[in-house]
Structures are given as structure tokens and as C-alpha cells.
């Protein structure tokens, strides 16, 4: 018996909506992959440059992001902030942030000093980490910000020793009463202070995004194929 195609508006509109959604989400994931690849290329390019010696001049984040930075100065001893929900190797923990004043400068820069584990019983029980006193040299990689995680509940007020999930540089500067550079430094090297300095690479995950994009494009194609296939019916005498 001959096959005939029967066009039906409701299945057509449903298939078109699913296909459009799949294509849009595929495009979004493709853009995310391209963004990650662009970040990786910029990181590789700037990693080859000599370390930038930090001075009192304010630097623009676009000019300094992913550059290696070196500064001599002193940590602000009485101002530490702990970024919560920062796991490392599957273990819950914090990122420790401390303002740092380069020598001869009237401004500070926020140093992400490293990762430390969270107490499994009492969340607010913070391990003791010594802060170097006097003039020290800090070297690391400049980042635009500290990154963001999903904010659970109301944000805690910024004060010395605060445990927060996210922090803005400007907000911390106001709370501490200091002027901060508009970027942070993820500290590198071994300071023998018990902190882990294995920072997440912001360019990781490009292949994952491309895999997701393929799945969404496949869904869009399958929706159209399903509409066409199910539209054919065998004719009757």
C-alpha cells in the first residue's frame, strides 16, 4: 500500500518548539565552549609574559587578568574573609582572602591565599592559619574577581573573620575602610602555612560544553525527524 504524509498542525508546532529549544540551548553551550577556549588562549599568552611588579597605580582588570603578578609588602593582620562552598578534591572547604598592602602604596590588593578544609561537625570552627608578619613577597596570578557560587540564604555581613559565599571587591573595600585594586591575586608557591594553592582553572570544561551542545542539537534534529516519520501513514483502499 502507498505511503501518504498527513500534515497536522499540533504535532508540527510541538516539534518546531522542541527543535527551536534544542537549537537555542545548543548554541548557548557552543558559545560557552568558545568562551572557555578564548580564556585558555589568553591564559597561555599571558603566562609567557614576565611577572608584573605591582605598584601603587590602579590597574584595569582587562589589562592584568591572568598575568603573573609580584608584590612586596605586608598583609593586613586583622582582616580575613573565608569564602564558603569552595570544595577541593571532593572535600568541603574555604578560600582564605586577606588584603595586602604593597610597599610604598596607599592602596591594597586582595590576596586569595589558598584553600583550607571545613570542620565536618562545626562549620564556623576555622583552622588556625598564621599570617606572615612584616614585609613579605607575594607572587601569583591576577584574576578579575573571586568567582561566584549559588548564594544560599542571606549574605553574612562583611567583617573580620566573616564566612561568606560570595564577596565583591568594592564591598570588602568599604567594609574594611581601605582602597583595593579592582582585581585579586591567586597566590602561588609554597609558604609552609598549610594552605592548598591548587586553584581551579577558569578555562576548564570546554569539551563538556561541546558535548552538551551536541546533545541539544541531536534533540532538535530528532524532534523534526520524529514529526516527519510519524506523519506518514499507509494508505487504505
Amino acid at each position: 500500500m502507498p505511503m501518504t504524509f498527513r500534515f497536522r498542525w499540533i504535532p508540527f508546532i510541538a516539534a518546531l518548539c522542541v527543535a527551536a529549544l534544542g537549537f537555542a540551548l545548543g548554541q548557548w553551550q557552543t558559545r560557552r565552549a568558545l568562551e572557555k577556549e578564548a580564556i585558555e588562549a589568553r591564559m597561555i599568552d599571558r603566562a609567557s609574559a614576565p611577572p608584573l611588579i605591582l605598584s601603587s597605580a590602579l590597574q584595569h582588570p582587562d589589562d592584568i587578568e591572568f598575568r603573573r603578578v609580584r608584590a612586596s609588602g605586608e598583609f593586613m593582620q586583622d582582616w580575613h574573609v573565608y569564602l564558603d562552598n569552595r570544595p577541593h578534591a571532593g572535600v568541603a572547604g574555604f578560600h582564605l582572602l586577606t588584603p595586602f598592602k604593597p610597599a610604598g602604596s596607599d592602596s591594597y590588593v586582595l590576596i586569595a591565599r589558598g584553600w583550607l578544609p571545613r570542620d565536618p561537625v562545626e562549620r564556623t570552627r576555622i583552622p588556625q592559619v598564621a599570617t606572615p608578619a612584616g614585609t613579605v613577597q607575594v607572587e601569583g596570578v591576577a584574576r578579575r574577581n573571586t568567582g561566584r557560587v549559588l548564594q544560599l540564604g542571606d549574605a553574612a555581613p562583611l567583617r573580620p573573620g566573616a564566612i561568606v559565599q560570595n564577596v565583591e571587591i568594592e564591598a570588602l573595600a568599604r567594609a574594611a575602610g581601605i582602597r583595593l585594586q579592582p582585581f585579586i591575586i591567586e597566590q602561588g608557591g609554597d609558604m609552609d602555612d598549610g594552605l592548598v594553592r591548587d586553584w581551579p582553572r577558569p578555562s576548564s570544561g570546554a569539551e563538556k560544553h561541546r558535548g552538551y551542545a551536541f546533545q541539544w542539537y541531536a534533540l532538535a534534529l530528532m524532534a523534526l525527524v520524529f514529526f516527519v516519520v510519524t506523519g506518514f501513514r499507509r494508505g487504505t483502499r
Side-chain angles (χ1 to χ4, degrees), residues 100-157:
F100 180 86
K101 187 177 184 180
S105 174
D106 60 352
S107 62
Y108 291 73
V109 61
L110 190 60
I111 306 292
R113 295 173 56 193
W115 176 91
L116 65 160
R118 190 173 72 187
D119 190 291
V121 177
E122 178 54 52
R123 169 178 171 271
T124 58
R125 187 184 299 153
I126 305 295
Q128 293 297 315
V129 178
T131 300
T135 301
V136 296
Q137 181 169 280
V138 172
E139 186 168 343
V141 176
R143 292 289 307 277
R144 184 178 297 272
N145 51 52
T146 60
R148 290 193 64 83
V149 298
L150 179 64
Q151 180 70 43
L152 302 175
D154 296 330

Coordinates of all heavy atoms in Angstrom, one line a residue, residues 100-157:
F100 N 46.3 42.9 51.2 CA 47.8 43.0 51.2 C 48.1 44.4 50.7 O 47.6 44.9 49.7 CB 48.4 41.9 50.3 CG 49.9 41.9 50.2 CD1 50.6 41.2 51.1 CD2 50.5 42.6 49.1 CE1 52.0 41.2 51.0 CE2 51.9 42.5 49.0 CZ 52.6 41.8 50.0
K101 N 49.0 45.1 51.4 CA 49.5 46.4 51.1 C 50.9 46.4 50.5 O 51.8 46.2 51.2 CB 49.4 47.4 52.3 CG 49.7 48.8 51.9 CD 49.5 49.7 53.1 CE 49.7 51.2 52.8 NZ 49.6 52.1 53.9
P102 N 51.0 46.6 49.2 CA 52.4 46.7 48.6 C 53.2 47.8 49.2 O 52.6 48.9 49.5 CB 52.1 46.9 47.1 CG 50.7 46.4 46.9 CD 50.0 46.7 48.1
A103 N 54.5 47.6 49.3 CA 55.3 48.6 49.8 C 55.3 49.9 49.0 O 55.3 49.9 47.8 CB 56.8 48.1 49.9
G104 N 55.2 51.0 49.7 CA 55.1 52.3 49.0 C 53.8 52.7 48.4 O 53.7 53.7 47.6
S105 N 52.8 51.9 48.7 CA 51.5 52.2 48.0 C 50.5 52.5 49.1 O 50.6 52.1 50.3 CB 51.0 50.9 47.3 OG 49.7 51.1 46.8
D106 N 49.5 53.4 48.7 CA 48.4 53.7 49.7 C 47.2 52.8 49.4 O 46.1 53.1 50.0 CB 48.1 55.2 49.6 CG 47.6 55.6 48.2 OD1 47.7 54.8 47.3 OD2 47.2 56.8 48.0
S107 N 47.3 51.9 48.5 CA 46.1 51.0 48.2 C 46.5 49.6 48.5 O 47.7 49.2 48.6 CB 45.7 51.1 46.7 OG 46.8 50.7 45.8
Y108 N 45.5 48.7 48.6 CA 45.7 47.3 48.9 C 45.3 46.5 47.7 O 44.6 47.0 46.8 CB 44.9 46.9 50.1 CG 45.3 47.5 51.4 CD1 45.1 48.8 51.8 CD2 45.9 46.7 52.4 CE1 45.5 49.3 53.0 CE2 46.3 47.2 53.6 CZ 46.1 48.5 53.9 OH 46.5 49.0 55.1
V109 N 45.7 45.2 47.7 CA 45.2 44.2 46.8 C 44.7 43.0 47.6 O 45.3 42.6 48.6 CB 46.3 43.9 45.7 CG1 47.5 43.2 46.4 CG2 45.7 42.9 44.7
L110 N 43.6 42.4 47.1 CA 43.0 41.3 47.8 C 43.8 40.0 47.4 O 43.8 39.7 46.2 CB 41.5 41.2 47.5 CG 40.8 40.2 48.4 CD1 40.9 40.5 49.9 CD2 39.3 40.2 48.0
I111 N 44.3 39.3 48.3 CA 45.1 38.1 48.0 C 44.2 36.9 48.4 O 43.7 36.7 49.5 CB 46.4 38.0 48.8 CG1 47.2 39.2 48.6 CG2 47.2 36.7 48.4 CD1 47.8 39.4 47.2
A112 N 44.0 36.0 47.4 CA 43.4 34.7 47.7 C 44.5 33.8 48.1 O 45.3 33.3 47.3 CB 42.6 34.2 46.5
R113 N 44.7 33.6 49.4 CA 45.9 32.9 49.9 C 45.9 31.4 49.7 O 47.0 30.8 49.7 CB 46.1 33.3 51.4 CG 46.3 34.8 51.6 CD 46.3 35.2 53.1 NE 47.3 34.4 53.8 CZ 47.3 34.3 55.1 NH1 46.4 35.0 55.9 NH2 48.2 33.6 55.8
G114 N 44.7 30.8 49.6 CA 44.7 29.3 49.5 C 43.4 28.7 50.0 O 42.5 29.4 50.5
W115 N 43.4 27.4 50.0 CA 42.3 26.6 50.4 C 42.6 25.9 51.7 O 43.7 25.5 51.9 CB 41.9 25.6 49.3 CG 40.8 24.7 49.7 CD1 39.4 24.9 49.4 CD2 40.8 23.4 50.4 NE1 38.7 23.8 49.9 CE2 39.5 22.9 50.5 CE3 41.9 22.7 50.9 CZ2 39.2 21.7 51.1 CZ3 41.6 21.4 51.5 CH2 40.3 20.9 51.6
L116 N 41.5 25.9 52.6 CA 41.7 25.1 53.8 C 40.4 24.3 54.1 O 39.3 24.8 53.6 CB 42.0 26.0 55.0 CG 41.0 27.1 55.5 CD1 41.3 27.5 56.9 CD2 41.0 28.3 54.6
P117 N 40.4 23.2 54.7 CA 39.2 22.3 54.9 C 38.3 22.9 55.9 O 38.7 23.6 56.8 CB 39.8 21.0 55.3 CG 41.1 21.3 56.0 CD 41.7 22.5 55.2
R118 N 37.0 22.5 55.7 CA 36.0 23.0 56.7 C 35.8 21.9 57.7 O 35.9 20.7 57.4 CB 34.7 23.2 55.9 CG 33.6 23.9 56.8 CD 32.4 24.2 56.0 NE 31.6 23.1 55.5 CZ 30.6 23.1 54.7 NH1 30.3 24.3 54.2 NH2 29.9 22.1 54.4
D119 N 35.6 22.3 58.9 CA 35.3 21.3 60.0 C 34.0 20.5 59.7 O 33.0 21.1 59.5 CB 35.2 22.0 61.4 CG 35.2 21.1 62.5 OD1 34.2 20.3 62.7 OD2 36.1 21.1 63.3
P120 N 34.1 19.2 59.7 CA 32.9 18.4 59.3 C 31.7 18.5 60.3 O 30.6 18.2 59.9 CB 33.4 17.0 59.1 CG 34.6 17.0 60.0 CD 35.2 18.3 60.0
V121 N 32.0 18.9 61.5 CA 31.0 19.0 62.5 C 30.5 20.4 62.8 O 29.3 20.7 62.7 CB 31.5 18.4 63.9 CG1 30.5 18.5 65.0 CG2 31.9 16.9 63.7
E122 N 31.5 21.3 63.0 CA 31.1 22.7 63.3 C 31.6 23.6 62.1 O 32.9 23.8 62.0 CB 31.7 23.1 64.6 CG 31.5 24.6 64.9 CD 30.0 25.0 64.9 OE1 29.2 24.2 65.6 OE2 29.6 25.9 64.2
R123 N 30.7 24.1 61.3 CA 31.1 24.9 60.1 C 31.9 26.1 60.4 O 32.8 26.5 59.7 CB 29.8 25.2 59.3 CG 30.0 26.2 58.2 CD 28.7 26.5 57.5 NE 28.8 27.6 56.6 CZ 28.5 28.9 56.9 NH1 28.1 29.1 58.2 NH2 28.6 29.8 56.0
T124 N 31.6 26.7 61.5 CA 32.3 28.0 61.9 C 33.6 27.8 62.6 O 34.2 28.8 62.9 CB 31.3 28.9 62.7 OG1 31.0 28.1 63.9 CG2 30.0 29.2 62.0
R125 N 34.0 26.6 62.8 CA 35.3 26.3 63.5 C 36.4 26.3 62.4 O 36.5 25.4 61.7 CB 35.3 25.0 64.3 CG 36.5 24.8 65.1 CD 36.4 23.4 65.7 NE 35.3 23.3 66.6 CZ 34.6 22.1 66.9 NH1 35.1 21.0 66.3 NH2 33.6 22.1 67.7
I126 N 37.1 27.4 62.4 CA 38.1 27.6 61.3 C 39.5 27.2 61.8 O 39.9 27.6 62.9 CB 38.1 29.1 60.9 CG1 36.7 29.6 60.5 CG2 39.1 29.3 59.7 CD1 36.2 29.0 59.3
P127 N 40.2 26.4 60.9 CA 41.5 26.1 61.3 C 42.4 27.3 61.4 O 42.2 28.3 60.7 CB 42.0 25.2 60.1 CG 40.7 24.7 59.5 CD 39.7 25.8 59.7
Q128 N 43.3 27.3 62.4 CA 44.2 28.4 62.6 C 45.3 28.5 61.5 O 45.9 27.5 61.2 CB 44.9 28.4 63.9 CG 43.9 28.6 65.1 CD 43.2 29.9 65.1 OE1 43.9 30.9 64.9 NE2 41.9 30.0 65.3
V129 N 45.4 29.6 60.8 CA 46.4 29.8 59.7 C 47.2 31.0 60.1 O 46.6 32.1 60.2 CB 45.7 29.9 58.4 CG1 46.8 30.2 57.3 CG2 44.9 28.7 58.0
A130 N 48.5 30.9 60.2 CA 49.3 32.0 60.5 C 49.4 33.0 59.4 O 49.6 32.5 58.2 CB 50.7 31.5 61.0
T131 N 49.3 34.3 59.7 CA 49.5 35.3 58.6 C 50.9 35.9 58.8 O 51.3 36.4 59.9 CB 48.5 36.4 58.8 OG1 47.2 35.8 58.6 CG2 48.7 37.5 57.7
P132 N 51.7 35.8 57.7 CA 53.1 36.3 57.8 C 53.1 37.8 58.3 O 52.3 38.6 57.8 CB 53.7 36.2 56.4 CG 52.8 35.1 55.8 CD 51.5 35.3 56.4
A133 N 54.0 38.1 59.2 CA 54.1 39.5 59.7 C 55.3 40.1 59.0 O 56.2 39.5 58.6 CB 54.3 39.5 61.2
G134 N 55.3 41.5 58.9 CA 56.4 42.2 58.3 C 56.3 42.1 56.8 O 55.3 41.7 56.2
T135 N 57.4 42.5 56.2 CA 57.4 42.6 54.7 C 57.7 41.2 54.1 O 58.6 40.5 54.5 CB 58.5 43.6 54.2 OG1 58.3 44.9 54.8 CG2 58.6 43.6 52.7
V136 N 56.8 40.8 53.2 CA 56.9 39.5 52.5 C 56.7 39.8 51.1 O 56.2 40.8 50.6 CB 55.9 38.5 53.0 CG1 56.1 38.2 54.5 CG2 54.5 39.0 52.8
Q137 N 57.1 38.8 50.2 CA 56.9 38.9 48.8 C 55.8 37.9 48.4 O 55.9 36.7 48.8 CB 58.2 38.6 48.0 CG 58.0 38.7 46.5 CD 59.3 38.7 45.8 OE1 60.0 39.7 45.7 NE2 59.6 37.5 45.2
V138 N 54.9 38.4 47.7 CA 53.7 37.6 47.2 C 53.8 37.5 45.7 O 54.0 38.5 45.0 CB 52.4 38.1 47.7 CG1 51.2 37.4 47.0 CG2 52.3 38.1 49.2
E139 N 53.6 36.3 45.2 CA 53.5 36.1 43.7 C 52.3 35.2 43.4 O 52.1 34.3 44.1 CB 54.8 35.5 43.2 CG 54.8 35.5 41.6 CD 56.2 35.2 41.1 OE1 57.2 35.3 41.8 OE2 56.3 34.8 39.9
G140 N 51.7 35.6 42.3 CA 50.5 34.8 41.9 C 50.0 35.2 40.6 O 50.6 35.9 39.8
V141 N 48.7 34.9 40.3 CA 48.1 35.2 39.0 C 46.9 36.1 39.3 O 46.1 35.8 40.2 CB 47.6 33.9 38.3 CG1 46.8 34.2 37.0 CG2 48.8 33.0 38.0
A142 N 46.8 37.2 38.6 CA 45.7 38.1 38.7 C 44.4 37.6 38.1 O 44.4 37.0 37.1 CB 46.0 39.4 38.0
R143 N 43.4 37.7 38.9 CA 42.0 37.3 38.4 C 41.1 38.5 38.6 O 41.2 39.3 39.5 CB 41.5 36.1 39.2 CG 42.3 34.8 39.0 CD 42.0 34.3 37.6 NE 40.5 34.2 37.4 CZ 39.8 33.1 37.8 NH1 40.4 32.1 38.5 NH2 38.5 33.1 37.6
R144 N 40.0 38.6 37.8 CA 39.1 39.7 37.8 C 38.3 39.7 39.1 O 38.0 40.8 39.6 CB 38.2 39.5 36.6 CG 37.2 40.7 36.4 CD 36.3 40.4 35.2 NE 37.1 40.4 34.0 CZ 37.4 41.5 33.3 NH1 37.0 42.7 33.7 NH2 38.2 41.4 32.2
N145 N 38.0 38.6 39.6 CA 37.2 38.5 40.9 C 37.4 37.1 41.5 O 38.2 36.3 41.0 CB 35.7 38.7 40.6 CG 35.2 37.9 39.5 OD1 35.3 36.6 39.5 ND2 34.5 38.5 38.5
T146 N 36.7 36.9 42.6 CA 36.8 35.7 43.3 C 36.0 34.5 42.8 O 36.0 33.4 43.3 CB 36.5 35.9 44.8 OG1 35.1 36.3 44.9 CG2 37.4 36.9 45.4
G147 N 35.2 34.8 41.8 CA 34.2 33.8 41.3 C 33.0 33.8 42.1 O 32.9 34.4 43.3
R148 N 31.9 33.2 41.6 CA 30.7 33.2 42.3 C 30.1 31.7 42.4 O 30.3 30.9 41.5 CB 29.6 34.1 41.6 CG 29.9 35.5 41.7 CD 28.7 36.4 41.3 NE 27.5 36.2 42.2 CZ 27.4 36.8 43.4 NH1 28.3 37.6 43.8 NH2 26.3 36.6 44.1
V149 N 29.4 31.5 43.5 CA 28.7 30.2 43.7 C 27.3 30.6 44.0 O 26.9 31.8 44.2 CB 29.3 29.4 44.8 CG1 30.7 29.0 44.5 CG2 29.2 30.1 46.2
L150 N 26.4 29.6 44.0 CA 25.0 29.8 44.3 C 24.9 30.3 45.7 O 25.3 29.7 46.7 CB 24.2 28.5 44.1 CG 22.7 28.6 44.5 CD1 22.0 29.5 43.5 CD2 22.1 27.2 44.4
Q151 N 24.2 31.5 45.9 CA 24.0 32.1 47.2 C 22.9 31.4 47.9 O 21.7 31.5 47.5 CB 23.7 33.6 47.0 CG 23.5 34.3 48.3 CD 24.8 34.5 49.1 OE1 25.8 34.8 48.6 NE2 24.7 34.3 50.4
L152 N 23.2 30.8 49.0 CA 22.2 30.1 49.8 C 21.9 31.0 51.0 O 22.7 31.2 51.9 CB 22.7 28.7 50.3 CG 23.2 27.8 49.2 CD1 23.8 26.5 49.7 CD2 22.0 27.4 48.3
G153 N 20.6 31.4 51.1 CA 20.2 32.3 52.2 C 20.7 33.7 52.1 O 21.3 34.1 51.0
D154 N 20.6 34.4 53.1 CA 21.1 35.8 53.1 C 22.6 35.9 53.3 O 23.2 35.1 54.1 CB 20.4 36.6 54.3 CG 18.9 36.7 54.0 OD1 18.4 36.7 52.9 OD2 18.1 36.8 55.0
A155 N 23.2 36.9 52.7 CA 24.6 37.0 52.8 C 25.0 37.6 54.2 O 24.3 38.5 54.7 CB 25.1 38.0 51.7
A156 N 26.0 37.0 54.8 CA 26.5 37.4 56.1 C 27.2 38.8 55.9 O 27.8 39.1 54.9 CB 27.5 36.4 56.7
P157 N 27.1 39.7 56.9 CA 27.8 41.0 56.8 C 29.3 40.8 56.7 O 29.8 39.9 57.4 CB 27.3 41.7 58.1 CG 26.9 40.6 59.0 CD 26.4 39.5 58.2

